Amino acid sequence: MKNELLSKFKETATAVLPVAAIVFLLHLTIAPMSFGVLALFLSGTFLLIVGMTLFQLGSEVGMTPMGNQIGSKLVELKNLKIFVITAFLLGFLVTIAEPDLQVLGKQMPEQTLFSLLGIEMSVGQVLIYMVAIGVAIFLTAAVIRVVFGIDLSKLFFVLYIIVFAMAFFTRPEYLAVAFDSGGVTTGPITVPFILALGVGIASVKKGKDAENDSFGFVGLCSVGPIISVLIMGMFVKGDASYDPTVIPEIENFGDVIMVYLRAFPTFFEEVALALSPIIVVYLFFQIVYLKLPKISLVKTLIGVLYTYIGLVIFLTAANVGFMPAGSYMGGTLATLPYNWVIIPIGMLVGFFILMAEPAVYVLTVQVEEVTGGSITRKMMMIALMIGMSVSVGLAMTRVITGISIWYLLIPGYAIALGLMFFVPKVFTAIAFDSGGVASGPMTATFLLPFATGACTAIGGNVLMDGFGVVAMVAMTPLVAIQILGAVYAIKAKRAQKEEAEELAEIYEDIEEEIEFYQLDLECAIIELDYDE
C-alpha cells in the first residue's frame, strides 16, 4: 500500500506541478499576484497533490468495485423496476450534492422563483434540483439503453438535435449556463461511480457489445442538465446575476492557515452528503443481494474513506487556493495592453491542467482496461489535452471578442455528431463520456474564474461571455476522441490489409512449394516407371 501511495503521489505531482509552474512564471513576469493570492495558490498546490493522490487510490480500491458490483448485480436480477428505481435515486441524490453544481447554483440570482409548501425557492436552488432530476432521468435512460440494446450514436444524434432546437427558445443568459451545467454535474464524485456502474452492467453481456456498452453513461448524464436548464431558461423572469470570486485579505502565513481551516468543514459536509447515498445503496445491496465476504467489504469501505478524505482535501485546495488565483490572473492578463496574450496562455494552461482532473485518471484507466490496451491511457491523454487546449483558447477568444457561443457550439457539435457515423461505436461512447469528465473541479475552480475574472476586468457580460468555458471544455473532447477513433480505425484497416497481404504472400509461397513438390513427385514417378 505504501509503495502504491508513493507511486500515485509522484504521478499526481507530475500532473499538477506543470500548471503551478506556468502560473508562478506568469507571476514573476507579466501578471504578478499579491502575497495572499500567491500564498493560497502555493499551499493549495501541495494540498491538491495530496488530495488527488488519496482520491486516486480510493477510487481504485473503493468506488470502482462498488459500481461494478452494483451494476452487474442489477442486470443479474433481471428486474426492470429495481433497475429503474436504483438508477433514478442514485442519479438524483449524488448529483444534488455534487460540489461543482453547488458552486454553479450560487452564481444564479438570489430572487425567489416560487414557493413550494411554504418554502421559498431561489433561482439557484431550482437550478440545482432541475439539474439533479435531469441527471437522474438520463442515468435511468442509460441503463435501460444497455438492457434493450439501443444504438448510442443514434440516441446522441436525436438528443442533441432536440437540445439545439430548444436552445433557440431559451433566454440568451441561460444558454452558456445550460451547457456549463452539463459539464459540472459530472464531477469527481459522480464520474467514478457512474463509469464503474456502466462497466458492471455491460460486463454481464457478452461479445463486442459489452465493450461498446461500457461507456456512454457519463455522456448521457451530461445531456439531462442541459435540457433541464434550457427549459428553466424559457420560464425564468428577471435579470440573471453573477457574484465574482472573493479574494480574502491575507497578511501573513497565519491568515493562510485560518482561511483553509474555515473552509475544510464546508467540504467535509459537502463530500459526506455526496458520498452517503452511494454508501447507503451499496450497503443495501450488500445485505440483500451481494453478501460479499467481510474482508472484501472492509477493503471497499477503506477505499471509500480514502476517496472521502482525498476529495475533501482536493476540493478545499481547488476552491480556496486555485479559484482566487484563476480570477486574479485572468483579470490581470485581460487588462494588459496586449490582452490577446490571454488566448495562448489559456491554451497552455488548459493543455496541462487536464492532467490534474481526478476523474480523467479514472476514465483513462477504465478505457485501457476495458479495451484490453487497444486504446491506451497515453493515447487518451494526448487527445484530451489537445482538445482541452483548443477549448480554452476558444473560450478566451469569446471573452476578448464577445462573439456569441452559438458560433462555436453549432459547428463543434455538428462535427462531433457527423463523426459518429465514421468511427467505431466504442470511440463515440468514450468521446461523449470524456466531455463530461474533462470539465471537472479544476475547470470549475480555476479556468471558469480565469474566464470570468478576465470578462469582469474588461467590462463584458459575464453570464454570456465569461461562462461557456466549461461548455467548450465539454465539447472539444467529443471531436478530439472521435478523430483519434478515426485514425485508429484507419490504422486498424491498414494493419488488416497488410496482414492479409502477408498471408496472401505466404499462401503463394506455399502454393509454389506444393507445385514444386508435385513436379518433383511426378519426375520421381516417371523415373520409377522407366526403371521398371
Side-chain angles (χ1 to χ4, degrees), residues 73-103:
K73 180 55 66 174
L74 279 173
V75 179
E76 289 174 7
L77 290 174
K78 296 180 180 179
N79 189 321
L80 189 60
K81 188 182 291 185
I82 295 177
F83 220 135
V84 169
I85 292 173
T86 304
F88 187 89
L89 285 176
L90 281 172
F92 181 83
L93 294 173
V94 174
T95 303
I96 208 167
E98 181 67 51
D100 292 350
L101 179 59
Q102 297 291 332
V103 172

Side-chain angles (χ1 to χ4, degrees), residues 261-521:
L261 289 178
R262 285 194 294 267
F264 268 117
T266 301
F267 292 101
F268 269 115
E269 181 180 353
E270 287 186 359
V271 177
L273 287 172
L275 286 177
S276 55
I278 299 176
I279 297 171
V280 169
V281 171
Y282 178 71
L283 291 177
F284 171 78
F285 268 76
Q286 162 64 17
I287 294 170
V288 179
Y289 301 115
L290 296 174
K291 304 184 187 302
L292 298 172
K294 184 180 290 185
I295 188 169
S296 298
L297 179 62
V298 170
K299 183 180 179 181
T300 301
L301 293 178
I302 290 173
V304 174
L305 181 63
Y306 272 111
T307 303
Y308 174 69
I309 296 172
L311 266 179
V312 169
I313 298 172
F314 178 90
L315 291 172
T316 304
N319 282 270
V320 175
F322 273 61
M323 188 177 283
S327 180
Y328 192 94
M329 189 70 65
T332 302
L333 293 173
T335 53
L336 293 173
Y338 44 93
N339 61 3
W340 56 265
V341 76
I342 197 172
I343 297 174
I345 288 175
M347 293 180 71
L348 184 63
V349 172
F351 184 84
F352 287 104
I353 206 169
L354 182 92
M355 294 190 296
E357 287 287 6
V360 168
Y361 170 83
V362 177
L363 175 66
T364 52
V365 169
Q366 199 92 287
V367 168
E368 190 169 52
E369 289 178 355
V370 171
T371 61
S374 59
I375 306 171
T376 65
R377 184 167 182 262
K378 184 178 180 181
M379 290 165 58
M380 283 283 295
M381 287 300 296
I382 292 173
L384 287 174
M385 288 167 75
I386 293 172
M388 186 76 153
S389 179
V390 172
S391 67
V392 179
L394 293 174
M396 294 305 108
T397 302
R398 286 188 62 242
V399 169
I400 298 298
T401 62
I403 63 172
S404 173
I405 196 171
W406 276 114
Y407 295 111
L408 300 176
L409 287 180
I410 291 178
Y413 275 95
I415 294 170
L417 294 175
L419 283 169
M420 292 193 307
F421 299 99
F422 302 98
V423 302
K425 290 182 179 180
V426 67
F427 278 93
T428 296
I430 292 170
F432 279 83
D433 279 357
S434 300
V437 169
S439 49
M442 290 302 294
T443 300
T445 58
F446 187 85
L447 292 180
L448 184 56
F450 186 77
T452 54
C455 194
T456 302
I458 62 176
N461 186 321
V462 175
L463 283 178
M464 293 182 67
D465 301 330
F467 277 78
V469 63
V470 181
M472 294 295 101
V473 169
M475 179 187 72
T476 50
L478 310 186
V479 177
I481 297 300
Q482 289 193 100
I483 289 175
L484 174 65
V487 172
Y488 174 83
I490 292 170
K491 286 185 176 180
K493 286 182 179 179
R494 189 178 297 167
Q496 288 177 354
K497 185 179 179 182
E498 290 175 356
E499 186 178 352
E501 289 175 351
E502 288 178 3
L503 288 173
E505 288 179 2
I506 293 171
Y507 182 73
E508 287 177 5
D509 291 341
I510 292 173
E511 280 190 329
E512 288 177 0
E513 287 185 13
I514 291 173
E515 289 177 0
F516 174 78
Y517 286 121
Q518 283 179 338
L519 182 62
D520 192 45
L521 182 61

